[in-house]
Amino acid sequence: MAASPSTARAINDRLALRLLQDEGPLTATQLKTLTGLSRPTVADLVERLSGSGLVHVVGETGAERRGPNAKLYGIVADRAHLAALDVRTRSVSVVVADLLGTTLAEAAAPVGETGGTGAAVEQAVTLLQQAAREAGADRLHTVAVGAPGLIDPATGELRDSTGLPAWHRRLIGVLQERLPARVLVENETNLAAVAELRAGAARDRDDFVLLWLGQGVGAAVVLDGRLRRGASGGAGEIGFLPVPMTSGLPSATGCDGGFHELACVSAVRALAAAHGLDPATALGSGHGPFLDALAQRLAVGAAAVAAVLDPGCVVLAGEIGHQGGPELAARVEHALAGLSPLRTEVRATALGDAAVLRGALLRARDAAQDELFP
């Protein structure tokens, strides 16, 4: 069944906008070549997109050839301003960007609860407002927040979780109340996986699992190029995974006894101390016995992931994955090969501490473009 003229126009417009986003400014001739559309159709869509304020002339090309120069068309980057927040237990990082994702301002600050939940929320909101002013953003179109914890798939809200600061949930509500912007919240591990998929260690993979190894332990599952959240938003709660080498079994209210007990920052620091190393610098010391012992621990969790999902690739992220780097990843891959018959490559994060913020910005950009692009 043929598309209606209006549907065909919308499809062509979106195709052109995606090309301008991915390739940068293009001439009408280049758009014709890349889209396969006729010259009159391209002329019509350029006029239509220019009239809607989404595309404008950004320059000319063709000085090296005879004849008139061709106009270069590009997306109007300041049509919308975006913000991304990486909310940690004791800090917040913020970036404000334009519609193309170009960073205009960024800031970070410690956030504590010494003055209560309200004071912590105000610190975070003030940081965002200051960054927006610095970026010249009078109004934010979309704000994406990355935070630890479960996200309810039905409501998109951060669930009330034990062990997480109360100001996290309150912050989302305050942002929604005060900002004339769409506010989105996503689990930090999921956002890190999105960033690694599109701009990091997993750019060449459609299937992989990201292990987040920090104060908390979690995983993000990407299959067929899509993030998988699970029925209740809990896909990847690997900290609760029952494993050997722990003190017991986890429970519905606590992950002590689960994989968390082997792989979180405090556990890794204790392991380093047991090897006579400074916990603060152990991962960069190249100490073979310590790295082998840690790799064996991490391989236990990775083997469980491989047995269920067979992703073919595991990315080590979070504080431990970042500091351990390729050396730790190689040792985990070797240990994993001895635990699982399924060939699984192990890679270190390519984005490090910036992964969550990068993923949040991609989430905000995608949401804004979906709304603004026809």
Side-chain angles (χ1 to χ4, degrees), residues 4-17 48 373-374:
S4 67
S6 60
T7 300
R9 285 194 296 270
I11 292 172
N12 293 339
D13 289 355
R14 182 172 285 270
L15 174 59
L17 286 165
R48 194 162 51 247
F373 290 2

Side-chain angles (χ1 to χ4, degrees), residues 275-342:
H275 280 79
L277 302 174
D278 180 354
T281 60
L283 281 168
S285 67
H287 188 274
F290 162 67
L291 291 177
D292 284 339
L294 176 57
Q296 193 64 44
R297 288 185 175 194
L298 301 182
V300 170
V305 167
V308 175
L309 298 174
D310 188 18
C313 179
V314 170
V315 175
L316 304 183
E319 183 177 338
I320 302 303
H322 178 41
Q323 292 180 3
E327 183 178 1
L328 177 61
R331 291 172 187 261
V332 174
E333 182 174 326
H334 177 74
L336 179 56
L339 297 177
S340 172
L342 304 175

Side-chain angles (χ1 to χ4, degrees), residues 84-327:
L85 284 78
D86 179 4
V87 179
R88 303 294 176 94
T89 304
R90 299 181 182 88
S91 67
V92 172
S93 299
V94 176
V95 62
V96 178
D98 61 24
L99 186 57
L100 290 175
T102 303
T103 297
L104 303 175
E106 51 191 333
V111 175
E113 287 193 293
T114 54
T117 297
V121 169
E122 289 303 320
Q123 285 180 273
V125 172
T126 298
L127 189 71
L128 173 59
Q129 292 173 332
Q130 290 173 343
R133 284 195 294 270
E134 181 183 339
D138 296 329
R139 183 182 185 278
L140 293 173
H141 181 281
T142 305
V143 177
V145 182
L150 289 173
I151 309 299
D152 189 318
T155 65
E157 296 179 352
L158 184 64
R159 291 185 180 178
D160 188 7
S161 303
T162 57
L164 294 177
W167 65 269
H168 281 195
R169 292 189 76 244
R170 180 59 185 143
L171 173 62
I172 306 304
V174 170
L175 291 175
Q176 291 170 333
E177 292 167 4
R178 296 190 187 178
L179 299 179
R182 183 181 182 186
V183 179
L184 309 170
V185 59
E186 180 61 271
N187 173 267
E188 61 180 354
T189 305
N190 285 344
L191 290 176
V194 169
E196 297 288 356
L197 172 67
R198 293 171 59 176
R203 288 190 302 273
D204 60 337
R205 305 291 308 199
D206 288 330
D207 303 313
F208 74 99
V209 170
L210 180 138
L211 292 186
W212 182 267
L213 308 168
Q215 297 295 333
V217 174
V221 179
V222 175
L223 299 176
D224 298 324
R226 294 178 55 197
L227 182 67
R228 308 291 178 164
R229 295 179 175 82
S232 63
E237 284 297 311
I238 199 173
F240 287 87
L241 181 72
V243 293
M245 306 163 56
T246 64
S247 60
L249 291 173
S251 69
T253 57
C255 53
D256 291 341
F259 183 57
H260 172 90
E261 192 174 303
L262 297 181
C264 68
V265 166
S266 60
V268 174
R269 289 175 178 171
L271 181 65
H275 280 79
L277 302 174
D278 180 354
T281 60
L283 281 168
S285 67
H287 188 274
F290 162 67
L291 291 177
D292 284 339
L294 176 57
Q296 193 64 44
R297 288 185 175 194
L298 301 182
V300 170
V305 167
V308 175
L309 298 174
D310 188 18
C313 179
V314 170
V315 175
L316 304 183
E319 183 177 338
I320 302 303
H322 178 41
Q323 292 180 3
E327 183 178 1

